[in-house]
Amino acid sequence: MTEQPPTAEYRIEDLAHLSGATVRTIRAYQDRGLLPRPERRGRANVYGGTHLARLRQIAGLLDRGYTLASIKELLEAWDAGLDLGGVLGLVAEIDGPWTDEEASRISRPDLDAAFGGTSDEEAIAEAVELGVLERIPGEDDEFLVPSPQELAVAAELHSAGVPIPAISGHLREVRGQVEHIASRFLDFTTEHVFQPFLDHPPTEAEAAEAAALVRRLRPLAQQTIDAELARAMRTLATRYLRQHLSEALPAEALRSAEARSLVRSASDGAVREQAEAGGRTPTEAGAGSVPEPRSAPGPSPVVPAAVGTSADPRTAPDPGAVPEAVLLPAEAVRAVRALVGAENTAAFIAAAAQREVQARTMDALASGGSGSGR
C-alpha cells in the first residue's frame, strides 16, 4: 500500500503568497462566503489545499469578468454537486477570441520608424496604458502588439499629419463609445436570447446550447457595426465636404456656381419648349458664342449678340427666322460671362430673353391686353 502524502497545511500568510491574493482579500472572501472557514487549532487558523484551489478558481473567474456575486452562485452550485462542465465550457466560449486577428511583436526601432523615426517615451507609455502595446518581461527593445490593425491605423494617421496625442485622445473617445455599443448589444441579446439560461444555474445541456448560440451570434455585432459605420461615413462625409467647401470658397464663386446651375435649368427648359413647338434650339437658331467686347469710347460700349426673334411674343419661335444681331452693353456681357463662363454666355442671354418674353406674354394675357411690351 502506497503511503499518501500528508495533507498540505498553510498559515494565512503562506496561503496569500501561494495564491497571489492578499491576507485582507482572503478574509474578505471568507466573510462573503466564497471561501470556507479555516480549521481552528488552538489559537491558530489552518488552511488546506481546498482553500488554495478555491482561491485560484475565484481568480480565474474574476479575470474572465465575473462579479463576486455571480462567482458565489457558481461555487455554491458546484458545492451542491451540480455538473459545471457545461458552464465552464460556456465561460471558455465567451472568454475566447472575438476576432480572427492574431497578436504580433514589434521591435523598438521598427516602432520608431513607423511613427516618423523619432523615439517618444511618453507616447509609448500612453500606448501601453491603452493596451495598444504590451511590454514583454525581460525584453526592453520589443513589444507585444495585441491588435496589429489598430497600431497600423495609428501609424497611417500619424503619417497623414495627425499628432500622436490627438490619435490617443481619439482612441480613448472611440473606445468609450464602442464599449457602450457592446454593452447595449449584450443587454439586447441577454434579454431576448440568453435570459432563459441565466435564471438558474444551467444544466450541462443548457450551457452547451448557450455556448452554441454565442458562437452563432458572435459575428453579428461586428457585422452590424461595419454596415452602420459604412452608411454613416458615406452620409456624413458627403455632408462634411459640402459644408467645408461652402466655408472655404469665396462668395463670388458660390454665386457663380449657383448661377450656372440656374442657367442649365433655364436653358434645358427653353430647349424643351422649342422642341415641343417644332422650333430649333437656341444654338440652331443662331445663339452662338458672344464675341469679346471691343474697346470703344463711352461709358457703356455695346457688343452684338445673335438671338432669334419672333414676330409675336405670344407665338412660338418661327423655324425659318433669321438670327438678328442685338447690341448689348459690354458691361452686361462681361457680368454674364463672369457668372456662367464664356461657353454658356449666349445660352444664358437667349434663355433670359425667352423667359422675359414669356413673362410679359402671361402678364398681357392676364390683363386682357395685346401682349406688347410695356
Side-chain angles (χ1 to χ4, degrees):
M1 182 175 181
T2 21
E3 183 179 353
Q4 297 294 328
T7 303
E9 295 183 350
Y10 311 104
R11 296 176 303 164
I12 191 169
E13 293 81 8
D14 298 331
L15 184 64
H17 175 72
L18 291 170
S19 66
T22 65
V23 170
R24 182 177 179 180
T25 297
I26 293 173
R27 287 175 175 155
Y29 287 168
Q30 290 175 183
D31 294 339
R32 285 174 173 264
L34 293 166
L35 195 66
R37 291 286 178 181
E39 181 181 348
R40 186 76 175 178
R41 291 185 187 171
R43 301 181 62 180
N45 290 326
V46 178
Y47 296 85
T50 56
H51 294 91
L52 180 60
R54 178 59 57 91
L55 286 172
R56 288 173 175 168
Q57 288 173 343
I58 294 172
L61 292 170
L62 285 173
D63 288 342
R64 291 185 172 100
Y66 279 76
T67 64
L68 289 176
S70 58
I71 291 174
K72 182 179 180 181
E73 292 179 359
L74 283 173
L75 295 177
E76 286 175 349
W78 201 329
D79 291 340
L82 296 179
D83 185 3
L84 294 186
V87 173
L88 295 180
L90 174 59
V91 170
E93 186 66 45
I94 294 175
D95 193 43
W98 285 72
T99 176
D100 296 333
E101 188 178 18
E102 296 183 358
S104 65
R105 290 190 175 204
I106 189 170
S107 66
R108 180 61 180 271
D110 288 343
L111 181 64
D112 293 341
F115 287 87
T118 304
S119 181
D120 190 336
E121 293 295 336
E122 185 177 347
I124 289 176
E126 188 163 18
V128 170
E129 180 187 349
L130 289 168
V132 177
L133 299 174
E134 291 183 7
R135 298 189 185 276
I136 301 174
E139 298 186 32
D140 297 335
D141 217 28
E142 195 168 11
F143 296 91
L144 181 69
V145 185
S147 174
Q149 290 181 2
E150 192 168 51
L151 183 63
V153 168
E156 190 67 25
L157 288 172
H158 183 262
S159 68
V162 183
I164 291 180
I167 296 173
S168 300
H170 175 70
L171 176 58
R172 291 181 188 276
E173 181 180 357
V174 168
R175 181 170 292 179
Q177 293 170 345
V178 170
E179 287 179 355
H180 173 72
I181 293 172
S183 176
R184 293 292 301 119
F185 188 83
L186 289 173
D187 290 342
F188 170 77
T189 52
T190 297
E191 178 183 358
H192 296 284
V193 179
F194 294 106
Q195 194 60 53
F197 301 98
L198 303 177
D199 292 335
H200 59 280
T203 64
E204 186 172 0
E206 289 174 331
E209 183 181 353
L213 283 170
V214 170
R215 287 192 295 273
R216 178 179 166 189
L217 300 181
R218 186 193 300 268
L220 298 187
Q222 184 169 350
Q223 290 171 4
T224 301
I225 297 305
D226 287 347
E228 281 301 305
L229 181 60
R231 179 200 61 78
M233 287 299 296
R234 182 174 60 252
T235 302
L236 295 180
T238 302
R239 187 182 304 168
Y240 270 53
L241 180 63
R242 289 174 180 168
Q243 175 184 344
H244 288 289
L245 282 180
S246 66
E247 293 173 353
L249 289 175
E252 293 79 3
L254 288 177
R255 285 196 294 269
S256 177
E258 292 171 358
R260 281 195 293 271
S261 177
L262 290 174
V263 167
R264 282 193 294 270
S265 300
S267 299
D268 292 344
V271 169
R272 284 195 301 271
E273 290 171 1
Q274 292 190 1
E276 291 170 358
R280 292 176 292 174
T281 64
T283 302
E284 294 169 336
S289 59
V290 178
E292 289 288 335
R294 291 170 295 181
S295 59
S300 181
V302 294
V303 296
V307 294
T309 59
S310 174
D312 188 340
R314 288 173 293 182
T315 63
D318 183 5
V322 179
E324 179 180 346
V326 177
L327 296 180
L328 296 176
E331 182 180 354
V333 175
R334 283 196 297 269
V336 172
R337 186 181 294 112
L339 282 175
V340 301
E343 68 277 13
N344 293 321
T345 300
F348 180 93
I349 295 171
Q354 181 70 16
R355 185 167 64 177
E356 178 66 18
V357 168
Q358 291 173 346
R360 290 178 178 244
T361 300
M362 293 297 296
D363 290 343
L365 291 173
S367 61
S370 63
S372 58
R374 291 190 288 272

